[in-house]
Amino acid sequence: MTDAAPLPVARTVANLRAIVGDWKRQGLSVGLVPTMGALHEGHLTLVREAARRTDRVVASNFVNPTQFAAHEDLGRYPRRQDEDARLLEGAGCHLMFAPAAQEMYPDGFATSIAVAGPALGLEGDARPQMFGGVALVVTKLFNQVQPDVAVFGEKDYQQLMVVRQFVRDLDLPIQIVGSPTERDGWGLALSSRNAYLSEDELAIARRLNGVLAEAGARASAGEPIDGVESDAAEALLQAGFASVDYVAIRRAEDLGSFAGVVDAPARILAAAWLGKTRLIDNMAVG
Ligand code: PAF
């Protein structure tokens, strides 16, 4: 029995462009799955979705410093690129792009991207630097890979809205695909940050999706949103979460607010803390 060939890894933009350029000259379509590594089944679902839609799939693996504030978990964010490469290879990926920070942000780098619209509020309030950093790195990845399709998880629903917005605003010729959240057997959304949780915290974390589902059902039955949101935040505290940044029911299309009750397709979104770990989740209402 022979081992499968290991997944090719590009560490420089020049190497990435040489490989992707070769595919394009052969007339092959290209999909991109941007990741920060520490891959789990949720990421692999995105890779499979990209592989279903395109001939060649690139997964980027880069813990992007510009989307972390100084006090956040950049230093302890899990990094395991060898294992990531094996998982990607099994999921149908053709190339992992894993640049060093210096390759993405060389000395003298001086450009930023300002985002508004769906970037405002929710995660934008709690992590004001994040979506500018995401827009910057994703725009760079789009320019470096020049994919036909890019796949993002609905787990980061607000991020998906922000990406759709800047792709539209900047006329980027890339189809953005949102892929449903993968969950464990208890409904906990898969996340690289789940690795931080102790056994006790994991048991509490698994209550999050149930609280959101119940709140969503009440909102879709016509109950006033304010009360549903505050009851859900209280239920999370009762379940053992240390604090709740937000529980919010918003328009699914653009994350705009409702006046009173849900009267259009909606999404319920939440962020809450367990010890030093901040978890986010969201789901369709109704
Ligand atoms: O969702 C993530 O993992 C990151 O925000 C992304 C899109 C890879 C940009 O660094």
Side-chain angles (χ1 to χ4, degrees):
M1 196 171 84
T2 54
D3 286 340
L7 182 72
V9 178
R11 303 226 173 248
T12 64
V13 176
N15 188 204
L16 167 76
R17 285 203 165 128
I19 296 169
V20 174
D22 195 39
W23 293 340
K24 293 210 165 186
R25 277 188 294 280
Q26 295 174 56
L28 300 172
S29 60
V30 177
L32 171 66
V33 179
T35 84
M36 297 206 298
L39 303 181
H40 49 67
E41 192 53 35
H43 297 108
L44 303 183
T45 302
L46 308 184
V47 170
R48 288 186 202 105
E49 183 62 30
R52 213 174 56 75
R53 292 169 179 266
T54 58
D55 301 314
R56 292 288 180 272
V57 178
V58 179
S60 61
N61 188 331
F62 179 63
V63 183
N64 172 38
T66 63
Q67 68 191 77
F68 289 79
H71 64 277
E72 290 182 339
D73 58 344
L74 174 64
R76 71 179 185 129
Y77 198 86
R79 290 162 171 85
R80 35 175 195 258
Q81 289 194 351
D82 291 347
E83 192 185 331
D84 290 344
R86 275 194 296 278
L87 291 170
L88 288 171
E89 208 270 328
C93 180
H94 299 89
L95 176 69
M96 181 167 91
F97 176 48
Q102 183 68 16
E103 179 74 6
M104 293 296 270
Y105 301 114
D107 293 344
F109 189 93
T111 299
S112 57
I113 297 183
V115 286
L120 301 179
L122 308 177
E123 291 303 290
D125 285 344
R127 306 184 62 197
Q129 79 301 323
M130 188 175 87
F131 289 129
V134 168
L136 183 60
V137 78
V138 172
T139 302
K140 281 176 68 73
L141 290 166
F142 284 174
N143 285 328
Q144 292 160 346
V145 177
Q146 303 198 357
D148 301 285
V149 172
V151 185
F152 292 82
E154 287 184 350
K155 157 80 171 34
D156 295 291
Y157 192 81
Q158 191 174 7
Q159 169 173 279
L160 174 62
M161 297 292 109
V162 170
V163 171
R164 286 195 197 284
Q165 179 81 44
F166 75 72
V167 163
R168 201 163 51 236
D169 290 350
L170 301 178
D171 306 307
L172 302 181
I174 299 167
Q175 184 193 357
I176 304 300
V177 173
S179 179
T181 303
E182 287 290 319
R183 297 179 181 276
D184 74 5
W186 291 261
L188 174 66
L190 300 189
S191 164
S192 305
R193 289 189 170 96
N194 293 351
Y196 300 152
L197 300 173
S198 67
E199 277 301 309
D200 287 349
E201 288 171 339
L202 190 58
I204 299 168
R206 287 179 166 146
R207 307 274 299 276
L208 175 56
N209 70 96
V211 169
L212 295 189
E214 191 187 322
R218 284 176 56 192
S220 89
E223 285 196 44
I225 286 171
D226 282 357
V228 172
E229 289 172 343
S230 57
D231 286 356
E234 182 56 35
L236 291 176
L237 296 174
Q238 292 297 325
F241 281 87
S243 62
V244 177
D245 280 353
Y246 60 83
V247 176
I249 296 170
R250 296 293 181 86
R251 279 203 306 263
E253 191 191 352
D254 57 5
L255 295 181
S257 300
F258 290 105
V261 295
V262 166
D263 57 8
R267 204 93 193 166
I268 181 165
L269 308 99
W273 288 87
L274 273 173
K276 289 187 178 152
T277 307
R278 185 171 182 276
L279 297 180
I280 60 171
D281 197 1
N282 72 87
M283 59 185 66
V285 165

